[in-house]
Amino acid sequence: MSEHRIEEALSTLEDVLVRERELLLSGRARETANLIGEKISALEVFDGVVVNGAENRLRDGQRKRVDAVVGLAKENATHFTAVRNGLQNAISRIESMTDGAYVGAYGANGGQTAFPKATGGYVKKV
């Protein structure tokens, strides 16, 4: 693999991962999808470096950059996990908001009908 392609892949991947981290930290996780094309093409070259044994031919500076890229990827994965957990918690809270609510209808035993168990078809009492 040419020296130029390795340098180009490392630079592109570093740039994409830094932008991805900035988007994640600023709460714009959805916008990271726009980076996927760039990221995949750079990762293909990067994988070629790692999988095909080219890492043995890397200079020390390049090896440090590869380590930095791996570190950035791990950090972004942690941020993605935090975003996912935050969204799951928000969804759980919204779903549980109706747990204690009642629809104003009563069952055969005279007890109120819980909102999550309401199925519709209620007739207004005249």
Side-chain angles (χ1 to χ4, degrees):
M1 181 170 289
S2 74
E3 191 78 20
H4 176 69
R5 281 191 47 108
I6 293 171
E7 286 292 327
E8 186 177 302
L10 284 172
S11 294
T12 302
L13 205 47
E14 285 170 336
D15 291 344
V16 169
L17 289 172
V18 166
R19 284 186 285 165
E20 183 178 73
R21 180 181 60 195
E22 290 169 358
L23 289 171
L24 289 169
L25 292 177
S26 65
R28 300 180 309 183
R30 185 174 187 216
E31 295 175 33
T32 60
N34 298 334
L35 302 174
I36 198 73
E38 256 183 289
K39 189 175 181 181
I40 287 179
S41 62
L43 277 171
E44 287 171 351
V45 177
F46 187 76
D47 283 345
V49 170
V50 175
V51 173
N52 296 330
E55 75 274 6
N56 296 328
R57 297 187 301 269
L58 292 177
R59 296 187 322 246
D60 284 339
Q62 288 175 328
R63 187 165 281 119
K64 287 179 185 175
R65 287 179 68 194
V66 167
D67 291 341
V69 164
V70 170
L72 274 170
K74 286 180 181 179
E75 180 181 345
N76 287 355
T78 302
H79 293 310
F80 270 120
T81 300
V83 168
R84 185 189 69 227
N85 290 342
L87 288 172
Q88 287 175 339
N89 287 338
I91 290 168
S92 294
R93 274 188 255 127
I94 289 170
E95 288 174 343
S96 68
M97 287 173 66
T98 60
D99 285 350
Y102 296 95
V103 295
Y106 297 89
N109 63 356
Q112 288 183 310
T113 302
F115 185 77
K117 295 188 183 342
T119 57
Y122 298 101
V123 178
K124 183 178 179 183
K125 185 175 181 179
V126 182

